[in-house]
Amino acid sequence: MEILKAVVLLAIGFLLLVKGADFFVEGASTIARKLHVPGLIIGLTIVAMGTSLPELSVSVTAALKHQNSLAISNVVGSSIFNLMMVLGICAVISPIAVSMTVTKRDYPFSMLCAALLGILGYIGMKISRADGAVLLIFMAGYMYIMIHNAMKARKKALETHYEEKDHPGASGRETDDDQYDMDISEEADELTEKSESRPMWQAILFVIGGAAAVKFGGDFTVDGAVDIAKMIGISETLIGLTIVACGTSLPELVTSIVASRKNELDMAVGNVVGSNIFNILAILGVGSVITPMAFINENLIDLIVLIVFSAIVWLYCFTKKRIGRKEGASMIVLYTIYLIYICMR
């Protein structure tokens, strides 16, 4: 009876996490648009981080409750699940073309993040507050570069759009710079504003309600997972790598599958790579600043597995410029083998 209660608690926690993150992202995106925040910035920050809210909630809650092994294993397990299962399933549904920007910049950086976590954890066998600060500094630097590049690309696209729309074929046009910048700004507002958007009060309600759901969902998930681990005599690390990792990765799975079905294939890859970077740098950074986390040998092994799997998928991307159905199927098989291994060790 007790284990049934724990399973129900875990299921309710997952539901609150997934739906809470969904409402939070929708509300925050609406508020950002009404405040004229560029659409690209919304995608790079709110949406990318929103799909990682479940992992953030679980890991911070685990850190506050001193269930540190669950916090680290949840992040590493989610990253492996995102990479091998989410991308693998998407590739089986529809082959994924990968941009060179992701292949040359974002993907190697995600592997660097995993290696950095392994090095910091191995030194002293814990993730200290200082280590957490280092992870957060790396996250801030990455976000700065992403936003800076996005703003440059967006400005160039808007200038091209403005020229083609209002001055087709024009050359040598003389225009007051201030007026031109104002027109560009108005075009930006027009392009990023939805034709139909929620009222501000409803968006704020979505943000508050979504944040509350994520918070309580994290509590229920951690409590349910720890209770199950204790009752059936398995480690919190295993629970974190399997049940909790898969459950908290549901937003990434759903988002990437929907993106694949709509042929938004860059979004599927970007969502996974961005979420993995955010998981390691921001989530463990925040969690370890709150309270230092013990780092065990199993964590190091799992990080090595993550780096090896990342190298394999990166090789697919670099050599073929795509992840085909065969590659996707091989990724699912590799994850299944890894799952069997962690259940047996």
Side-chain angles (χ1 to χ4, degrees), residues 127-133 136 284-293:
I127 308 295
S128 66
R129 288 188 172 90
D131 295 333
L136 291 176
L284 287 185
V286 171
S288 56
V289 166
I290 292 172
T291 177
M293 300 180 179

Side-chain angles (χ1 to χ4, degrees), residues 72 117 120-121 125-129 131-132 135 288 292-293 295:
I72 296 177
L117 178 62
L120 292 176
M125 294 309 288
K126 69 175 183 179
I127 308 295
S128 66
R129 288 188 172 90
D131 295 333
L135 295 176
S288 56
M293 300 180 179
F295 192 87

Side-chain angles (χ1 to χ4, degrees), residues 37 107 156 195-196 334:
V37 175
Y107 211 105
K156 184 177 180 180
S195 58
E196 291 183 11
L334 284 172

Side-chain angles (χ1 to χ4, degrees), residues 57-315:
S57 178
V58 168
S59 295
V60 171
T61 301
L64 289 171
K65 295 184 176 182
H66 301 288
Q67 307 290 345
N68 292 332
S69 57
L70 181 61
I72 296 177
S73 60
N74 171 48
V75 165
V76 178
S78 292
S79 296
I80 295 174
F81 183 86
N82 287 346
L83 179 69
M84 304 306 284
M85 286 298 289
V86 173
L87 275 187
I89 292 172
C90 289
V92 169
I93 293 173
S94 178
I96 303 173
V98 184
S99 70
M100 290 306 294
T101 300
V102 172
T103 303
K104 291 183 176 181
R105 183 191 65 190
D106 302 310
Y107 211 105
F109 185 71
S110 70
M111 289 191 281
L112 174 64
C113 292
L116 176 64
L117 178 62
I119 293 170
L120 292 176
Y122 185 73
I123 300 174
M125 294 309 288
K126 69 175 183 179
I127 308 295
S128 66
R129 288 188 172 90
D131 295 333
V134 170
L135 295 176
L136 291 176
I137 290 171
F138 268 80
M139 184 65 201
Y142 177 73
M143 287 303 300
Y144 172 79
I145 292 172
M146 289 291 288
I147 292 173
H148 178 69
N149 290 342
M151 291 296 291
K152 284 176 60 180
R154 181 176 183 275
K155 182 178 180 181
K156 184 177 180 180
L158 286 173
E159 288 174 348
T160 302
H161 175 82
Y162 178 79
E163 290 285 350
E164 292 178 351
K165 181 178 178 181
D166 292 324
H167 303 278
S171 60
R173 178 175 53 89
E174 294 183 2
T175 305
D176 180 75
D177 289 340
D178 292 337
Q179 182 61 44
Y180 181 72
D181 289 341
M182 184 182 299
D183 290 336
I184 289 292
S185 178
E186 289 172 357
E187 286 287 339
D189 293 341
E190 180 183 338
L191 291 174
T192 56
E193 189 75 30
K194 282 187 172 179
S195 58
E196 291 183 11
S197 61
R198 299 182 181 277
M200 181 65 84
W201 68 266
Q202 196 175 65
I204 294 173
L205 192 62
F206 270 38
V207 169
I208 296 173
V214 168
K215 190 272 178 189
F216 287 109
D219 288 340
F220 291 161
T221 300
V222 170
D223 291 342
V226 171
D227 289 344
I228 291 172
K230 289 178 179 178
M231 281 184 278
I232 63 180
I234 61 176
S235 68
E236 292 175 11
T237 299
L238 179 57
I239 287 288
L241 286 168
T242 53
I243 299 173
V244 178
C246 295
T248 55
S249 290
L250 286 177
E252 287 91 342
L253 179 60
V254 173
T255 300
S256 294
I257 288 177
V258 170
S260 291
R261 293 180 67 87
K262 292 182 177 180
N263 291 321
E264 298 284 352
L265 301 178
D266 276 343
M267 184 184 295
V269 178
N271 178 45
V272 166
V273 175
S275 292
N276 283 1
I277 292 171
F278 183 79
N279 284 351
I280 292 175
L281 297 182
I283 293 175
L284 287 185
V286 171
S288 56
V289 166
I290 292 172
T291 177
M293 300 180 179
F295 192 87
I296 59 178
N297 289 329
E298 283 81 359
N299 296 143
L300 183 60
I301 293 171
D302 294 324
L303 277 169
I304 292 173
V305 170
L306 174 59
I307 294 171
V308 171
F309 282 172
S310 297
I312 292 172
V313 179
W314 179 79
L315 196 61

Side-chain angles (χ1 to χ4, degrees), residues 6-37:
V7 170
V8 170
L9 193 66
L10 188 67
I12 293 174
F14 283 155
L15 180 63
L16 288 173
L17 286 171
V18 174
K19 295 307 295 181
D22 186 35
F23 280 118
F24 181 88
V25 169
E26 186 171 346
S29 297
T30 301
I31 293 172
R33 286 190 187 93
K34 287 184 177 295
L35 296 176
H36 305 297
V37 175

